């Protein structure tokens, strides 16, 4: 077995577990570290098949992560739920959420074609695709309702960036001190953003980009569609500029999605997600830089977050 990148090696106990879930006569012949995740180690495993060919699987491992059992259990449930639907999610092969057999809690799944695309170029064509995909996710009706969403911040945990518009941030923080607005529950991905969507982007020509996969289903939840839209909006604002964050809600509605009717209710969800990001700007920006967006320093992302929060308050406040 060969490792293509430093850190790609699979721990022996985990490798033995993976091997038990392969077809007779198959073996792992190559491993490759996948970059872009924040909390999990991701590896592509090339499997040698009996006929001399290969196929790929993906191994997701949480090392010393507090919520690993919960996240892997939820992800396994989501992948099982989505099997046979139009949602392009990976197929579940095996899961060991408590590390009963692996070195650390792990999940084995099928590998999807495509790649994440974080460049500004071509964004105009990708945003409607993201919106349509999210509408389709929200249309899933699980037989068993997932657990309710968990807010990722409180008004007291917000970290106002240096040099930010203090008045706008104070007003935004006051917004999320209010009780959450009433909502109609939907099946949420809960971490839907460009970094968790795979695209096939052909060379310039009549065929445009298409989505080939949606990954990272570890925090699937039940809650308002506005919350998923807000999370993608925040990521678009930080990756591509505040205007794109504001445009995503419009794209979602144009794709047939339904959001809160009142501007004040939309503001609550949009601001809640934007402010939550203030606590982990460095963690959010690092994988983007590793993917080639080297200009997105922590400071640059903080400045975009400030501009986005201010724009939300000006537009919906």
């Amino acid at each position: 077995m060969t490792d293509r990148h430093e850190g790609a090696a699979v721990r022996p106990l985990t490798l033995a577990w993976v091997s038990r879930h392969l077809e007779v006569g198959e073996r792992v012949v190559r491993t490759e570290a996948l970059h872009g995740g924040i909390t999990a180690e991701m590896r592509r495993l090339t499997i040698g098949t009996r006929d001399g060919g290969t196929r790929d699987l993906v191994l997701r491992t949480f090392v010393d992560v507090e919520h690993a059992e919960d996240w892997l259990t939820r992800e396994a449930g989501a992948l099982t739920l989505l099997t046979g639907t139009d949602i392009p999610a990976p197929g579940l092969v095996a899961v060991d959420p408590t590390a009963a057999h692996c070195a650390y809690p792990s999940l084995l799944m099928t590998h999807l074609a495509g790649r994440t695309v974080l460049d500004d170029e071509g964004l105009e064509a990708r945003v409607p695709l993201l919106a349509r995909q999210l509408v389709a996710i929200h249309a899933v009706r699980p037989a068993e309702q997932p657990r309710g969403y968990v807010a990722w911040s409180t008004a007291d945990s917000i970290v106002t960036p240096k040099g930010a518009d203090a008045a706008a941030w104070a007003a935004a923080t006051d917004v999320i001190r209010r009780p959450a607005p009433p909502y109609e529950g939907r099946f949420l991905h809960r971490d839907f953003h460009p970094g968790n969507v795979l695209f096939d982007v052909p060379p310039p020509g009549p065929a445009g980009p298409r989505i080939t996969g949606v990954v990272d289903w570890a925090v699937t939840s039940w809650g308002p569609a506005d919350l998923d839209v807000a999370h993608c909006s925040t990521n678009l604002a930080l990756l591509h500029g505040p205007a794109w964050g504001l445009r995503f809600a419009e794209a979602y509605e144009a794709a047939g999605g339904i959001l809160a009717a009142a501007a004040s209710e939309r503001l609550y969800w949009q601001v809640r997600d934007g402010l939550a990001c203030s606590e982990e700007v460095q963690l959010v920006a690092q994988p983007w830089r590793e993917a080639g967006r080297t200009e997105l320093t922590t400071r640059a992302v903080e400045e975009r977050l400030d501009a986005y929060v201010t724009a939300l308050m000006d537009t919906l406040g």
Side-chain angles (χ1 to χ4, degrees):
M1 183 175 68
T2 59
D3 302 331
R4 292 186 58 184
H5 298 295
E6 182 181 355
V10 180
R11 296 165 184 88
L13 198 62
T14 305
L15 182 60
W17 174 77
V18 168
S19 297
R20 291 197 294 272
H21 291 283
L22 302 180
E23 300 293 332
V24 174
E26 291 187 332
R27 63 189 182 91
V28 178
V29 297
R30 186 167 58 247
T31 66
E32 177 184 357
L34 301 176
H35 300 291
I38 295 176
T39 56
E41 294 180 356
M42 304 291 294
R43 295 176 177 86
R44 179 163 60 187
L45 310 181
T46 300
I47 312 301
T49 59
R50 287 178 294 178
D51 61 5
T54 62
R55 65 187 180 101
D56 289 336
L57 297 175
V58 173
L59 176 67
R60 179 178 175 90
T61 299
F62 287 103
V63 178
D64 299 328
V65 175
E66 181 182 358
H67 302 291
E69 180 179 354
D70 173 41
W71 289 345
L72 288 181
T73 299
R74 275 202 270 178
E75 183 156 32
L79 298 186
T80 300
L81 168 68
L82 295 171
T83 299
T85 71
D86 293 334
I87 308 300
L92 177 66
V93 177
V95 63
D96 182 12
T98 62
H101 308 284
C102 298
Y104 295 98
S106 299
L107 183 144
L108 188 64
M109 58 189 141
T110 58
H111 176 266
L112 299 177
R115 60 184 178 88
T116 56
V117 183
L118 305 180
D119 301 330
D120 291 336
E121 183 180 357
L123 185 61
E124 189 84 40
R126 296 195 306 273
V127 163
L129 299 181
L130 290 169
R132 287 200 289 272
Q133 185 62 75
L134 192 54
V135 170
I137 290 170
H138 293 164
V140 172
R141 294 292 180 266
E144 184 176 342
Q145 183 174 306
R147 70 185 63 186
Y149 78 91
V150 174
W152 290 343
S153 65
T154 68
D156 296 326
S157 64
I158 304 307
V159 180
T160 303
K162 182 180 179 181
D165 185 326
W169 277 72
T173 303
D174 284 343
V175 167
I176 68 169
R177 292 187 192 279
R178 306 169 192 162
Y183 60 85
E184 183 177 353
R186 290 283 185 269
F187 177 74
L188 305 183
H189 181 284
R190 194 65 179 98
D191 196 18
F192 184 88
H193 61 80
N196 282 333
V197 178
L198 305 178
F199 282 91
D200 172 36
V201 183
R210 65 184 182 91
I211 290 176
T212 58
V214 181
V215 299
D216 196 351
W217 297 84
V219 285
T220 51
S221 310
W222 190 258
D226 287 80
L227 195 54
D228 261 357
V229 171
H231 190 59
C232 192
S233 296
T234 299
N235 278 267
L236 288 170
L238 302 188
L239 270 168
H240 307 292
W244 286 103
L246 297 175
R247 287 178 61 174
F248 186 67
E250 299 173 4
Y252 179 83
E253 289 188 301
I258 299 174
L259 297 173
S264 61
E265 295 177 353
R266 296 188 184 202
L267 178 66
Y268 176 90
W269 301 113
Q270 293 279 5
V271 164
R272 173 164 284 290
D273 191 87
L275 294 183
C277 192
S278 73
E279 302 171 41
E280 51 186 20
V281 171
Q282 185 173 353
L283 284 174
V284 168
Q286 182 177 341
W288 294 343
R289 290 196 297 273
E290 292 174 352
R293 295 295 303 274
T294 54
E295 80 281 11
L296 293 178
T297 63
T298 299
R299 183 59 188 147
V301 175
E302 285 179 338
E303 290 173 350
R304 285 189 171 182
L305 179 60
D306 175 38
Y308 177 57
V309 169
T310 301
L312 286 175
M313 297 306 297
D314 289 343
T315 305
L316 296 173

